[in-house]
Amino acid sequence: MAKSTTLKEALSKWEEKTGEKANEAKEIKLYGQIPPIDKMDSGLSSLTCCEKLSLATNCIEKITNLNGLKNLKILSLGRNNLKSLVGLEAVGDTLEELWVSYNFIDKLKGVSSMNKLRVIYMSNNLVKDWEFVRLADLPSLVDLVFLGNPLQEKYSLEGTWMDEASKRLPNLKKLDGIPIIKDPVDE
């Protein structure tokens, strides 16, 4: 198999292509690298101004080295090989949107410190039980896409997904792209 692309190499290519300096940029798109990025290495530490980082469509297995990203608001890691959300703690005070659809995530450990997280797109992962309630600890979460997870599929077949999920996550305003309308009696 071909050697993977390091973040340093990907950032260098990005700078060449855009004419911007990565350490000054607010948005950096490193999705779909060929060969793919397989590690979130220390190359990320220089991205102190970055507010939106896209590393989607690579082969990343672990979330690491986010410590230097003091301004990160949107992190896109969809279509990788992630199995867990551990490692997000470093951006817990700034991250507002997390895009991790099409991975292999089965547990939600690592999200509890995400105080500003408003949006999570995590369709087509492997979450199969109500460990999902960890998301209720996120005070700002209002929009969740959870389609294609075994838990969602099971309760959708039974016709109870929207009710069960919105009951467990009372602050949600939108689930799987559908606005949640609450009865005034429930509030």
Side-chain angles (χ1 to χ4, degrees):
M1 184 172 165
K3 167 179 127 26
S4 62
T5 300
T6 66
L7 275 164
K8 184 178 181 180
E9 293 165 341
L11 287 167
S12 178
K13 281 194 264 181
W14 181 87
E15 286 181 334
E16 205 173 287
K17 183 179 166 186
T18 64
E20 292 183 65
K21 289 184 177 178
N23 64 349
E24 296 172 2
K26 288 188 185 265
E27 182 173 350
I28 297 177
K29 298 177 181 176
L30 302 176
Y31 54 81
Q33 297 291 304
I34 300 173
I37 296 168
D38 65 358
K39 285 186 179 78
M40 293 174 70
D41 63 37
S42 59
L44 288 174
S45 62
S46 66
L47 307 180
T48 53
C49 296
C50 186
E51 293 180 6
K52 181 178 181 182
L53 176 62
S54 177
L55 293 167
T57 316
N58 280 292
C59 291
I60 297 166
E61 293 184 8
K62 284 183 179 173
I63 298 172
T64 56
N65 289 304
L66 294 175
N67 293 1
L69 284 86
K70 301 292 183 213
N71 295 298
L72 191 65
K73 293 181 180 172
I74 301 173
L75 179 58
S76 172
L77 286 166
R79 297 187 186 278
N80 273 288
N81 295 326
L82 295 175
K83 293 172 183 71
S84 144
L85 296 174
V86 172
L88 286 173
E89 301 83 3
V91 290
D93 291 333
T94 60
L95 198 67
E96 295 176 10
E97 297 188 20
L98 178 63
W99 306 351
V100 289
S101 293
Y102 296 94
N103 275 289
F104 303 98
I105 299 164
D106 62 351
K107 300 274 185 241
L108 298 171
K109 188 175 180 194
V111 297
S112 58
S113 63
M114 314 301 317
N115 298 323
K116 292 189 177 177
L117 200 59
R118 296 179 301 101
V119 175
I120 301 177
Y121 298 141
M122 65 175 302
S123 67
N124 300 288
N125 275 284
L126 303 173
V127 180
K128 57 182 165 281
D129 59 37
W130 285 113
E131 187 215 68
F132 165 95
V133 297
R134 284 181 188 253
L135 299 175
D137 295 336
L138 304 176
S140 303
L141 185 65
V142 293
D143 187 355
L144 173 66
V145 175
F146 213 72
L147 291 167
N149 279 280
L151 177 69
Q152 179 271 336
E153 290 173 343
K154 176 185 179 206
Y155 284 89
S156 285
L157 283 173
E158 295 173 8
T160 60
W161 170 243
M162 291 296 281
D163 288 341
E164 291 294 331
S166 59
K167 183 170 53 179
R168 286 171 169 84
L169 302 177
N171 294 335
L172 276 188
K173 305 262 185 273
K174 197 177 347 173
L175 177 62
D176 299 332
I178 300 168
I180 294 175
I181 297 152
K182 299 199 168 109
D183 281 332
V185 181
D186 292 345
E187 293 181 1

